[in-house]
Amino acid sequence: MIRGSQSYSLLGWIVSFIIICSIFVLLRFWSSRIQKRKFYADDFLVLLAHIAMIAMASVTIWGIVNGLGNPATELSIDEFKVMAQVLVGASVTWTVSTTVVKMAVLWLYTRIFDVVIFRRIAYGLIGVCACYGIAFEIVFITRCNPVSQEWDPVPWGSCKDPKETQLASNSINLVLDVAIVVLPMIPLWSLQMALTKKLVITGMFGFGFGTVAVMLYRVYVTVHANPDPALALADVGLLSFIELWLGIIVACVPTTAPVFRTYVKPTLFKALSQFCGYSRKTISNPIETIGGSGKASGGRSGHHHNFRSNRDYAELSIASTFDSRRSSDISLVPPSGAKTRTHCGPGGVVGSPGLQGGVYVEQQFHVQELGNNNRIR
């Protein structure tokens, strides 16, 4: 049975964040339904990461029921055997979850940014993450020979020090986390958009720094582990969970704007109107995620990247304006729903005295947020 304050505390953390992460995953798929878009690889990867996290939680709860979180001196021989099985099971499921959630974030990047070198780096990191996951799955499973040596020992069996494998895994994981968090910052800050918009989007991607901080502390805890193996397992287990929880939330946040635009924002406006006397026109610059309103100009390319929304879903709107006399090349291929408006005037472009004797063509692409193949360039 569950006993001890640390055991109840760990159980509370697990149950609470399973609920929170499940809500974010549901919001992600609800948003895709609002957008009426197909499911992408990162959607399935996030779902797999969530399932693996729940599997790890189930193994850990089994350990809690058998004394996990209590000093080793209070555990029976059978409970010690359970702790050894929990270590193997939690290590395997944690590796699956942390690997695929990293791959999900990177795959999401490739749908947002259409810079060739950026996408190559992202795909390269996806490959590195996959190799990391496969390698450490093998390492964790084969740490003991046979695998059951710690709970069903045989005379010829042996086990490696778990501290070494955990330290190697955590160190590589930390490097990958830093690379994933830093990767989108360079193309994001190269865009010509309002500073406040850059800060909002940077903050959204920057949630990943929380995962980096957790991994740094986990490396410290691994090096300075509690001498009591049962308590050390509980400490490392909680930090491992926090990393996964933050990773799943970070992977889902950029895709949840449609739900908030469709349901939360109208409710907020209605509440403010009733209790504070505000009207929709008096409220400006609401908190936004990807797909919020705003403009990012692409500089020399002549593209303007707008984060805007309509009543039903948030969208990434990309407007391209060009002079037909100077260029016949449009770098963004319009989707089937593109709208083209042509303004001609006898003396040049209507409202644009700088372009004389030409034809002004404006193409307005309404792209559902992260829903089509059109991305930030």
Side-chain angles (χ1 to χ4, degrees), residues 56-376:
M56 179 181 172
S58 301
V59 172
T60 306
I61 292 174
W62 175 47
I64 292 173
V65 172
N66 286 274
L68 179 61
N70 293 276
T73 55
E74 299 179 9
L75 302 181
S76 65
I77 298 299
D78 290 338
E79 288 176 335
F80 260 117
K81 292 180 179 180
V82 171
M83 295 304 107
Q85 294 171 327
V86 167
L87 177 60
V88 175
S91 298
V92 170
T93 51
W94 172 83
T95 304
V96 172
S97 187
T98 191
T99 299
V100 295
V101 78
K102 288 176 175 58
M103 295 171 66
V105 173
L106 289 166
W107 209 291
L108 176 64
Y109 287 171
T110 65
R111 295 201 288 116
I112 298 175
F113 299 98
D114 197 23
V115 180
V116 175
I117 185 64
F118 177 91
R119 297 183 68 197
R120 288 177 179 174
I121 294 173
Y123 285 131
L125 285 174
I126 289 175
V128 172
C129 289
C131 292
Y132 161 84
I134 294 171
F136 277 94
E137 285 287 13
I138 297 173
V139 168
F140 287 132
I141 293 174
T142 61
R143 187 179 67 84
C144 289
N145 182 29
V147 177
S148 60
Q149 175 63 20
E150 284 193 305
W151 62 86
D152 188 15
V154 294
W156 51 268
S158 63
C159 289
K160 299 176 183 177
D161 185 359
K163 183 176 179 180
E164 296 178 359
T165 57
Q166 289 177 8
L167 187 59
S169 172
N170 295 341
S171 300
I172 297 175
N173 207 15
L174 175 62
V175 173
L176 289 174
D177 284 339
V178 172
I180 292 171
V181 173
V182 172
L183 182 61
M185 300 304 174
I186 297 176
L188 173 62
W189 282 87
S190 65
L191 295 174
Q192 295 182 9
M193 65 161 50
L195 178 61
T196 55
K197 305 300 180 186
K198 288 184 178 181
L199 291 175
V200 169
I201 301 173
T202 299
M204 182 174 54
F205 286 127
F207 280 126
F209 282 115
T211 304
V212 173
V214 172
M215 288 307 303
L216 280 171
Y217 185 61
R218 187 179 172 188
V219 170
Y220 173 82
V221 171
T222 301
V223 175
H224 303 86
N226 192 313
D228 188 308
L231 295 179
L233 180 59
D235 294 337
V236 172
L238 178 58
L239 292 175
S240 301
F241 272 119
I242 292 175
E243 181 213 348
L244 297 183
W245 297 330
L246 289 177
I248 292 171
I249 292 172
V250 168
C252 292
V253 165
T255 66
T256 57
V259 171
F260 286 91
R261 293 289 176 186
T262 306
Y263 298 100
V264 177
K265 187 178 177 180
T267 302
L268 178 61
F269 279 132
K270 184 178 180 180
L272 290 174
S273 177
Q274 291 178 348
F275 295 102
C276 302
Y278 292 153
S279 65
R280 184 177 295 268
K281 293 182 179 180
T282 62
I283 302 176
S284 61
N285 297 324
I287 298 175
E288 300 160 2
T289 59
I290 284 183
S293 61
K295 179 183 288 187
S297 175
R300 288 178 293 179
S301 66
H303 298 295
H304 305 287
H305 307 280
N306 299 325
F307 297 97
R308 36 190 279 180
S309 65
N310 63 18
R311 185 181 180 277
D312 297 322
Y313 58 87
E315 62 182 355
L316 172 64
S317 176
I318 305 177
S320 176
T321 303
F322 69 97
D323 182 1
S324 63
R325 300 172 305 167
R326 301 180 183 179
S327 174
S328 60
D329 178 40
I330 306 176
S331 59
L332 179 66
V333 179
S336 58
K339 299 178 181 179
T340 302
R341 296 193 299 274
T342 304
H343 306 274
C344 302
V349 181
V350 177
S352 301
L355 300 178
Q356 299 296 325
V359 178
Y360 173 77
V361 181
E362 176 183 320
Q363 290 189 322
Q364 180 71 41
F365 306 98
H366 291 289
V367 184
Q368 292 185 6
E369 178 204 20
L370 308 181
N372 294 324
N373 292 326
N374 300 280
R375 309 175 182 88
I376 297 177

Side-chain angles (χ1 to χ4, degrees), residues 21-39:
C21 290
S22 298
I23 290 173
F24 274 96
V25 172
L26 289 174
L27 288 175
R28 180 190 185 100
F29 284 93
W30 189 7
S31 295
S32 68
R33 182 178 178 83
I34 293 173
Q35 292 175 282
K36 298 180 180 179
R37 67 166 176 83
K38 65 179 183 180
F39 293 146

